[in-house]
Amino acid sequence: QVQLVESGGGLVEPGGSLRLSCAASGMLFSFSIYSVGWYRQAPGKQRELVAAITSGGSTNYGDSVKGRFTISRANAKGTVYLQMNSLEPEDTAVYYCNLKKVPAYDYWGQGTQVTVSS
């Protein structure tokens, strides 16, 4: 059974930084061949892409986080990271880790709360 465990969320002041981690286990295939990403959902809004990284290392970012957030992966550890800098109140949301291998494999973590407030 695939498990994705997120950590690193919390309360931070505007302009601050957080680093989220997502540790994956129980995959049928090696972690390295999955695409992994971070999504977020704020109250009353749809879930949206924050950042994603393919098995080959190509990255994709949501427009609102470009230049502030960086996604990376450590395949040997089965872990994906999201470094978030210059945080804004609008970044407040539950952040979810996603592990995907098309067409049939699509897994989600339980989410971690990020709150940006003074």
Side-chain angles (χ1 to χ4, degrees), residues 3-77:
Q3 283 193 315
L4 301 176
V5 180
E6 298 113 331
S7 60
L11 173 64
V12 63
E13 293 186 347
S17 298
L18 282 176
R19 188 194 195 205
L20 304 183
S21 300
C22 173
S25 61
M27 294 84 67
L28 181 62
F29 305 106
S30 169
F31 176 80
S32 63
I33 72 169
Y34 291 87
S35 292
V36 288
W38 290 94
Y39 292 73
R40 68 186 182 187
Q41 188 166 19
K45 295 188 176 181
Q46 290 188 333
R47 190 172 295 189
E48 64 175 358
L49 172 71
V50 177
I53 184 167
T54 68
S55 58
S58 297
T59 57
N60 183 35
Y61 293 92
D63 288 341
S64 62
V65 307
K66 286 179 181 177
R68 299 188 297 123
F69 292 10
T70 303
I71 189 170
S72 61
R73 63 191 297 165
N75 288 332
K77 296 182 179 180

